């Protein structure tokens, strides 16, 4: 199974124009989702690349930028755009028979996606999927690697990642320990995950708790362990230098999707939960998958809405992956891209700012640099869909308020509350509430 999923995603990536792809010695990560229909027909419906995210000190308050530019997250956002498009097409159908060709059916007032979804990622997701038990570390060998991902510090230009090589860090980590006798990812790809373990302040000694009046579980109220902390099963934020990231690791986000679905709050009233059926990753032959099983399946297994993934490995490699390149050539690509079925040319953003590639400061201020998968764009799609279908739509409502109202309307509040109360997800980093304070009626660029 894993080989055909990987092959379909990599073929779709190859078919896209060169814009936003790694050039020269740059590396990146690719993730894609393939829909397999009830008749066996297969189609790549979403794809993303990237390995950077915006620093917590540079988060725009108008929803115009993509904060998390990792491949898995860009792919999921592209899938959300695809789902909005399908819902719009379904509503436009004049008669029930007109919708027969669409990949959805109407079930109890909400759409249900037909067939199954398969995700491919070109390497292990960052975070817990890259951490093996302490006993394995004692036996020798470094833990399997995540990509060298970066939260670029404030003030760095969009191509900053392309100017810093990760070769020294990778070579040092690979040489630090002798090879293990147990099969694992090739030594050239071994290093620490780079993601910081996150703890709730209440779980720490009083002297270790941050002195702040910020809302609970926001980035400034949590405790972050050192990069070398190897506790298994913990939630971690995105890897990177400087201030702690406000984005959770891809391992944690995939675990969340297994419980709450991929559709997001804005589409909760429109779709029944949309779940992945399988997850395929590119690894060396014989590499272990137990950490991935724990990270995406085991941690949420006690929750009522949990849908475990069938995991698969493939030896097919992404040509621009870090391990596939010579150590002397490894430089992170400074761009992330998103593509979904029906989009002719992929949407490209800069990893350090989250805006459309090539955007100028004047364009950003004027609201002309939105990434197509940014929150403000998705909010506008949700409002337009609600208005078209006659559903309640308050254009003056904030993004945060609209999401809360959508969850209440769909009855998904209980599942969400259960997820965030379930250890280790109770230490999930919550973004500052002010970041959801923009509205669909505001002029673009009004909030920075």
């Amino acid at each position: 199974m894993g080989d055909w999923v990987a092959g379909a995603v990599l073929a779709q990536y190859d078919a896209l124009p060169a814009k936003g792809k790694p050039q020269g010695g740059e590396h990146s990560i690719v993730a894609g989702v393939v829909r397999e229909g009830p008749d066996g027909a297969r189609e790549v419906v979403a794809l993303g690349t990237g390995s950077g995210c915006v620093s917590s000190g540079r988060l725009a308050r108008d929803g115009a930028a993509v904060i998390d530019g990792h491949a898995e997250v860009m792919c999921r956002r592209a899938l959300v755009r695809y789902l909005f498009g399908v819902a719009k097409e379904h509503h436009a159908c004049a008669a029930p028979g007109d919708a027969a060709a669409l990949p959805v059916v109407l079930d109890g007032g909400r759409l249900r996606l037909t067939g199954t979804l398969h995700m491919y990622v070109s390497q292990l997701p960052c975070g817990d999927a890259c951490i093996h038990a302490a006993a394995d570390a004692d036996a020798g060998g470094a833990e399997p690697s995540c990509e060298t991902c970066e939260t670029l510090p404030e003030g760095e230009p969009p191509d900053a990642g392309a100017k810093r090589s990760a070769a020294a860090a990778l070579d040092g980590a690979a040489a630090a320990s002798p090879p293990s006798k147990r099969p694992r990812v090739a030594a050239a790809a071994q290093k620490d995950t780079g993601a910081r373990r996150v703890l709730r302040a209440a779980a720490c000694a009083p002297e270790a708790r941050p002195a702040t009046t910020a809302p609970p579980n926001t980035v400034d109220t949590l405790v972050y362990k050192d990069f070398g902390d190897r506790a298994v099963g913990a939630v971690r934020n995105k890897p990177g230098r400087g201030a702690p990231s406000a984005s959770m690791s891809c391992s944690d986000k995939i675990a969340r999707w297994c419980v709450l679905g991929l559709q997001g709050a804005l589409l909760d009233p429109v779709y029944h939960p949309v779940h992945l059926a399988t997850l395929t990753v590119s690894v060396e032959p014989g590499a272990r998958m137990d950490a991935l099983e724990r990270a995406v399946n085991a941690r949420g297994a006690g929750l009522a809405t949990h849908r475990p993934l069938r995991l698969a490995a493939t030896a097919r490699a992404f040509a621009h992956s870090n391990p596939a390149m010579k150590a002397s050539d490894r430089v992170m690509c400074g761009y992330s891209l998103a593509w979904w079925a029906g989009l002719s040319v992929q949407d490209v953003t800069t990893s350090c700012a989250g805006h459309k590639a090539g955007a100028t400061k004047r364009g950003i201020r004027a609201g002309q640099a939105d990434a197509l998968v940014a929150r403000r764009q998705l909010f506008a799609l949700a409002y337009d869909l609600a208005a078209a279908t006659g559903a309640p739509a308050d254009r003056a409502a904030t993004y945060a308020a609209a999401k809360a109202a959508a969850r209440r309307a769909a009855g998904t509040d209980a599942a969400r509350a259960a997820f965030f109360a379930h250890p280790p997800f109770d230490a999930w980093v919550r973004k500052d509430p002010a970041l959801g304070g923009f509205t669909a009626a505001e002029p673009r660029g009004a909030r920075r």
Side-chain angles (χ1 to χ4, degrees), residues 60-67 77 81 84 266 355 363-384 395 399 435-436 438-448:
R61 298 173 65 180
D62 60 359
V66 176
I67 295 172
R77 286 184 168 272
R81 288 279 323 211
F84 267 114
L266 293 176
H355 292 291
I364 294 172
R365 286 195 297 269
Q368 300 170 350
D370 289 23
L372 296 181
V373 292
R375 292 173 298 155
R376 186 163 68 184
Q377 291 285 329
L378 299 180
F379 191 17
L381 289 175
Y383 178 83
D384 292 343
R395 198 168 180 83
Y399 176 74
L435 296 175
F438 59 94
T439 72
E442 282 183 6
R444 293 184 174 184
R447 285 171 174 252
R448 304 303 308 160

Side-chain angles (χ1 to χ4, degrees), residues 7 57 62 173 236 255 259 301 402 413 417 448:
D62 60 359
R236 297 171 182 270
V259 176
D413 270 336
R448 304 303 308 160

Side-chain angles (χ1 to χ4, degrees), residues 81-111:
R81 288 279 323 211
Y82 168 76
L83 294 175
F84 267 114
V86 171
K88 183 177 180 180
E89 286 186 66
H90 186 273
H91 173 68
C93 292
D98 297 340
L102 295 178
V104 291
V105 294
L106 192 61
D107 178 8
R110 288 195 286 175
L111 299 177

Side-chain angles (χ1 to χ4, degrees), residues 222-280:
L222 295 161
V223 177
Y224 303 89
K225 303 296 286 185
D226 292 337
F227 286 121
D229 181 275
R230 300 167 78 100
V232 299
V235 292
R236 297 171 182 270
N237 63 354
K238 280 292 193 289
R241 312 173 190 182
S245 170
S247 298
M248 301 305 294
S249 73
C250 291
S251 291
D252 299 326
K253 291 193 173 183
I254 294 173
R256 177 178 175 174
W257 301 338
C258 288
V259 176
L260 303 180
L262 297 121
Q263 71 287 340
L266 293 176
L267 281 176
D268 273 348
V270 182
Y271 281 89
H272 289 278
V274 176
H275 287 281
L276 295 170
T278 70
L279 173 64
T280 298

Side-chain angles (χ1 to χ4, degrees), residues 42-371:
R42 297 164 178 173
E43 178 190 20
V44 180
V45 294
L47 184 148
T49 71
S51 59
C53 56
V54 179
S55 165
S56 59
R58 301 187 65 187
L59 304 183
R61 298 173 65 180
D62 60 359
V66 176
I67 295 172
D68 188 341
H70 281 220
E72 297 92 324
V73 178
M74 295 296 289
C75 177
R76 181 256 171 184
R77 286 184 168 272
L79 179 65
V80 170
R81 288 279 323 211
Y82 168 76
L83 294 175
F84 267 114
V86 171
K88 183 177 180 180
E89 286 186 66
H90 186 273
H91 173 68
C93 292
D98 297 340
L102 295 178
V104 291
V105 294
L106 192 61
D107 178 8
R110 288 195 286 175
L111 299 177
R112 186 179 298 279
L113 193 68
T114 58
T116 53
L117 296 182
H118 308 275
M119 174 175 267
Y120 163 74
V121 186
S122 59
Q123 64 171 55
L124 290 170
C126 64
D128 193 49
C130 294
I131 307 292
H132 280 291
D136 296 333
D138 293 341
E143 66 192 42
S145 168
C146 289
E147 186 71 63
T148 299
C149 312
E150 301 200 32
T151 305
L152 301 180
E154 186 168 1
E156 292 203 1
D159 62 348
K163 296 180 180 178
R164 295 191 303 235
S165 173
L170 286 164
D171 293 343
S177 305
S180 170
K181 295 181 181 179
R182 304 181 70 173
R184 56 178 73 236
V185 177
Q190 293 174 357
K191 68 177 184 63
D192 286 339
T193 175
R196 297 179 183 178
R197 179 185 173 199
V198 182
L199 298 172
R200 292 185 303 117
C204 302
E207 60 272 15
R209 300 174 187 172
T212 178
T213 57
N217 273 47
T218 51
V219 69
D220 294 328
T221 67
L222 295 161
V223 177
Y224 303 89
K225 303 296 286 185
D226 292 337
F227 286 121
D229 181 275
R230 300 167 78 100
V232 299
V235 292
R236 297 171 182 270
N237 63 354
K238 280 292 193 289
R241 312 173 190 182
S245 170
S247 298
M248 301 305 294
S249 73
C250 291
S251 291
D252 299 326
K253 291 193 173 183
I254 294 173
R256 177 178 175 174
W257 301 338
C258 288
V259 176
L260 303 180
L262 297 121
Q263 71 287 340
L266 293 176
L267 281 176
D268 273 348
V270 182
Y271 281 89
H272 289 278
V274 176
H275 287 281
L276 295 170
T278 70
L279 173 64
T280 298
V281 295
S282 287
V283 295
E284 294 291 327
R288 294 168 52 199
M289 300 284 282
D290 55 335
L292 181 62
E293 170 67 29
R294 179 195 65 239
V296 302
N297 282 337
R299 294 188 297 169
L303 294 165
T305 57
H306 181 255
R307 292 275 298 275
L309 295 171
R310 178 184 170 192
L311 304 180
T314 179
R316 299 194 63 155
F318 176 43
H320 297 298
S321 68
N322 196 343
M325 303 176 64
K326 295 180 180 178
S328 59
D329 294 335
R330 294 174 183 148
V331 180
M332 187 186 79
C333 179
Y335 297 103
S336 298
L337 67 84
W339 172 91
W340 55 95
L343 185 68
S344 57
V345 179
Q346 65 267 33
D347 185 42
V348 181
T349 63
T350 59
S351 295
C352 70
H355 292 291
K356 189 179 291 293
T360 63
K361 290 184 178 180
R362 177 178 296 179
I364 294 172
R365 286 195 297 269
Q368 300 170 350
D370 289 23

